[in-house]
Amino acid sequence: MTLDQTLTADIELRVATLADAAAFAEAQVRNREHLAPWEPVRSERWFTTAGQEDRLKAQLVRFQNREVVPWFLFQGDRVVGAVTLTDIVPGPFRSASLGYWIDKDLLGKGLATTAVQAVAEVADRELRLHRIEASTLVGNEASQRVLRKCGFSQIGTAPDYLHIAGVWQTCHLYQRILNTRAPGEPA
């Protein structure tokens, strides 16, 4: 199964490993203010290598169980973003939830769109999913543009859906149907 992808001449999308904890913690510190409006309130431990080691250990167990795929975007050895498929459900549902972010210094270059499109293709071809879903805060128009460019359609709005930046926030819900194959049918 091929999960890693080359996105641009200098950006790689790679499945996270425990060895990436320090680089991810550094990216979280560097992007702390940039991500704060779009993320849950984080403990100080979140911004440490030890905190990320704990988180990655748990995530990698879920990865081995095929429940999640955690990717980091690398520019050399530097983490410059992340894309995650969570709550992967096999069988007749064949669905997963998508989350992503891009480093503040690389915004506006199409990197989020490229990464989301690559993950959608992997979800279809390698993970054999039928659909992926995503949510955005109502005011996150940049993320909504990324999803629309990648073939997602808005399917609803959910009041008080996620606890982000310390309050319950309303989100727009999106999905992308990847294929109409029956479960078990070849890609």
Side-chain angles (χ1 to χ4, degrees):
M1 185 178 319
T2 305
L3 298 177
D4 296 347
Q5 303 287 310
T6 299
L7 298 182
T8 70
D10 67 336
I11 306 287
E12 296 284 328
L13 179 73
R14 298 195 312 248
V15 173
T17 69
L18 195 54
D20 300 326
F24 189 75
E26 177 193 307
Q28 288 293 294
V29 169
R30 190 174 62 250
N31 287 279
R32 188 173 188 161
E33 287 183 36
H34 161 59
L35 295 174
W38 317 112
E39 300 233 333
V41 173
R42 304 292 191 191
S43 70
E44 288 304 313
R45 184 168 172 75
W46 175 268
F47 299 95
T48 67
T49 298
Q52 289 307 316
E53 285 174 346
D54 290 345
R55 183 182 75 87
L56 281 169
K57 284 177 188 173
Q59 243 189 356
L60 293 172
V61 168
R62 292 187 69 212
F63 174 67
Q64 292 301 319
N65 293 331
R66 298 179 182 241
E67 298 167 349
V68 65
V69 181
W71 285 277
F72 292 155
L73 281 74
F74 284 92
Q75 189 173 45
D77 293 333
R78 183 176 164 154
V79 171
V80 294
V83 182
T84 307
L85 286 177
T86 59
D87 303 323
I88 298 172
V89 179
F93 194 39
R94 294 187 354 215
S95 184
S97 295
L98 172 75
Y100 56 92
W101 65 268
I102 299 297
D103 190 283
K104 63 185 174 58
D105 295 332
L106 296 175
L107 295 176
K109 300 179 186 306
L111 189 54
T113 300
T114 301
V116 168
Q117 185 61 36
V119 166
E121 290 169 12
V122 168
D124 180 11
R125 184 182 68 249
E126 301 291 340
L127 303 177
R128 305 181 49 74
L129 297 178
H130 164 67
R131 70 183 280 277
I132 47 181
E133 62 187 29
S135 65
T136 71
L137 297 182
V138 170
N140 192 346
E141 294 176 11
S143 190
Q144 293 161 24
R145 278 192 304 276
V146 167
L147 292 172
R148 286 191 300 272
K149 286 179 187 176
C150 291
F152 284 76
S153 300
Q154 186 177 343
I155 58 171
T157 300
D160 297 335
Y161 188 67
L162 292 174
H163 199 263
I164 300 293
V167 296
W168 287 104
Q169 300 211 31
T170 299
C171 291
H172 290 315
L173 307 177
Y174 291 82
Q175 75 172 6
R176 176 175 167 182
I177 303 299
L178 301 170
N179 61 69
T180 56
R181 294 187 305 268
E185 188 177 321

